[in-house]
Amino acid sequence: MNSKSIISLPSPVEQAAAQGIVVPTGRREIQIGLGRWTWHVDRTSALVASVLALAALLTGFISLALGDIRVPFDQLLPALLGDSERRYEVVVRDWRLTRVLLALVFGFALGISGAMFQSLTRNPLGSPDVIGFSSGAYTVALALMLFTTAGAAQIAMGSILGGLLAAALVFIIASRDGVNGFRLIVVGIGVGAMLASANTFMLLAAQRQVAMSAAVWGSGSLNSVSNSVLGPSLVGIALFAVAAVSLQRQARILECGDALAISLGVNARRLRASMVIVGVGLVAVTTAAAGPIAFVALVAPQIAARLTGRSELDLLPAGCLGALLLVSADTIARVAFMPVQLPVGIVTVCLGGVYLIWLLVRESRS
C-alpha cells in the first residue's frame, strides 16, 4: 500500500460503500444476485482470479503425472475416476492427489492471509512470515511435537494459539502511540528473530532423531503429509476464508485511514483484531500441517495487485495466485532433484528471496 492511499481524502464511493450504497466506481463490475442479496464484483479482478485459478488447477493436474513414476497424461483423468490400470490409480489417487490438493489449499490460504496483513499494515512487507506471526505458530507447534505426545488436533490448536500470542505481543509493543505499519513490521521482525532463536534451542535440546524430523518439517514441507490432514485443513481454511471475505469491504475503508473509517461507523480496533485473528488462523492451519512456508504470503498479494491494477485489498486474486505459486513450487521441489524430494519451503525461499531483494531496491529508490 503506498503512502498516497494513506493520506487520500475520503471519496464518495468509499463513504457510500460503508453505508451499503452502490455507486459507479469507474471500473467494470459484474453483478451477482442470490435471492435478496446482490454482490458487485470487479470485472478485472474476477477475470484475473479465474485465469489464475485455472492455471493453478492445470498445474496441479500436470503435477499428478510427474515424479519418479511417470503417469501418461492420457491416463490421468481415468486414474482419478478409477477407470485406469491399478498402478496408475495408486500413484495418482493414493500418493499424489492429497499433496496437490493441500498445496492448492495452503497456497490459497497464504495468499489471502498475506493480503490481509499487507492491508492492515499498509506496507508490502507486512506478511505474516516477515512480521513473526508464522514464527509464533511454528514455535508452539514445535514445542508440542518435541516435548509432548500431542496429536494433530492439539498441534493445530497450539499453532493457532502461538500465532495469536505472537500477534498480540507485536501489536502491544508496536501500538503504544497508535498503529503504525512500519513500526509494526520492525517489531515483528524482532519478535520473529527471538522466536527463531527459541526454536533453534528447542531443536538442540531435543533427541537427535526427533530434532531432525522436526527440522525438516520446520523448513516447510509437504513430503510427509497424510490423507488425514486434508479434511480438517479444508474445513479450517474454508471457515477462515469466509470470515476474511466478510471483512474485506470494511478493511478497504480502513485502508483510507482511521478517521474516515470511524466517521463511517467502522470500529477500527475491533476490525483490526478480527483481521489479525483470521489472518493468523489461515497461516496457523497451514503451519500446523506443513510447517512454516515462507514468502508465498509476501509475494502473492503484490503480484496479484499488479495484475488487477487495484491497490486496495483484493482477496480472491491473491488467494488464487498463492495457490498457483505453491503448487508450482511443490512440483519443482518434488521432481527437480529426483530421487531426493526437497521441502517446498526451500523453493519458495529461493523464489521469494529474489522478489524481496527487488522489492527492497524499488522501495529504497522511491
Side-chain angles (χ1 to χ4, degrees):
M1 192 60 51
N2 57 44
S3 58
K4 292 181 179 178
S5 64
I6 299 175
I7 61 175
S8 60
L9 296 174
S11 71
V13 173
E14 291 154 351
Q15 295 184 45
Q19 299 166 6
I21 302 171
V22 178
V23 297
T25 62
R27 294 174 65 96
R28 294 183 178 181
E29 294 184 336
I30 301 172
Q31 183 173 319
I32 301 175
L34 181 63
R36 59 179 180 176
W37 290 284
T38 302
W39 291 273
H40 293 262
V41 181
D42 184 89
R43 185 173 177 178
T44 304
S45 295
L47 179 61
V48 170
S50 300
V51 172
L52 291 173
L54 287 175
L57 292 174
L58 180 61
T59 304
F61 188 72
I62 294 173
S63 179
L64 291 173
L66 304 178
D68 49 356
I69 300 178
R70 288 184 175 272
V71 178
F73 286 109
D74 61 350
Q75 293 296 315
L76 277 178
L77 191 57
L80 285 172
L81 299 175
D83 191 24
S84 181
E85 296 180 32
R86 178 59 184 162
R87 55 175 177 157
Y88 292 145
E89 293 180 13
V90 170
V91 171
V92 172
R93 298 174 63 175
D94 298 346
W95 293 0
R96 296 175 184 166
L97 182 59
T98 298
R99 179 169 179 160
V100 168
L101 290 176
L102 285 174
L104 291 169
V105 172
F106 289 163
F108 185 79
L110 292 173
I112 289 180
S113 178
M116 295 192 72
F117 282 114
Q118 288 177 9
S119 170
L120 193 63
T121 60
R122 302 168 195 172
N123 193 303
L125 292 175
S127 78
D129 46 338
V130 173
I131 55 182
F133 299 167
S134 298
S135 298
Y138 173 54
T139 299
V140 175
L142 183 64
L144 292 174
M145 290 177 62
L146 293 178
F147 305 116
T148 72
T149 57
Q154 289 88 356
I155 292 175
M157 293 304 298
S159 181
I160 295 174
L161 180 62
L164 290 175
L165 289 174
L169 179 61
V170 170
F171 268 87
I172 290 173
I173 297 175
S175 304
R176 293 183 60 183
D177 300 318
V179 178
N180 179 285
F182 180 74
R183 188 165 59 233
L184 196 69
I185 292 172
V186 172
V187 172
I189 291 174
V191 171
M194 292 173 58
L195 292 172
S197 300
N199 297 339
T200 303
F201 175 78
M202 285 192 288
L203 289 173
L204 293 174
Q207 296 179 359
R208 180 181 302 177
Q209 192 65 34
V210 178
M212 289 178 64
S213 300
V216 172
W217 174 80
S219 59
S221 176
L222 295 171
N223 293 346
S224 58
V225 291
S226 62
N227 293 336
S228 61
V229 174
L230 182 60
S233 299
L234 283 175
V235 173
I237 289 174
L239 293 175
F240 283 118
V242 170
V245 172
S246 70
L247 298 173
Q248 182 172 242
R249 185 171 61 86
Q250 288 191 334
R252 287 173 176 169
I253 299 172
L254 189 62
E255 290 176 351
C256 299
D258 285 22
L260 170 65
I262 294 172
S263 68
L264 295 175
V266 176
N267 188 324
R269 180 173 297 180
R270 186 171 61 189
L271 178 59
R272 284 197 181 91
S274 300
M275 292 176 69
V276 169
I277 292 172
V278 172
V280 169
L282 288 166
V283 172
V285 172
T286 301
T287 302
I293 299 174
F295 285 109
V296 175
L298 172 70
V299 172
Q302 289 300 307
I303 297 177
R306 283 165 173 75
L307 292 175
T308 60
R310 301 188 71 177
S311 59
E312 66 268 30
L313 178 63
D314 202 0
L315 293 176
L316 196 55
C320 292
L321 185 58
L324 175 60
L325 289 175
L326 190 56
V327 75
S328 301
D330 187 57
T331 303
I332 294 172
R334 189 165 56 82
V335 305
F337 299 97
M338 288 191 301
V340 177
Q341 295 188 17
L342 297 176
V344 66
I346 293 178
V347 178
T348 59
V349 165
C350 293
L351 298 177
V354 174
Y355 173 79
L356 182 60
I357 292 172
W358 172 82
L359 184 63
L360 291 173
V361 170
R362 196 197 66 159
E363 289 291 313
S364 64
R365 288 177 177 174
S366 62

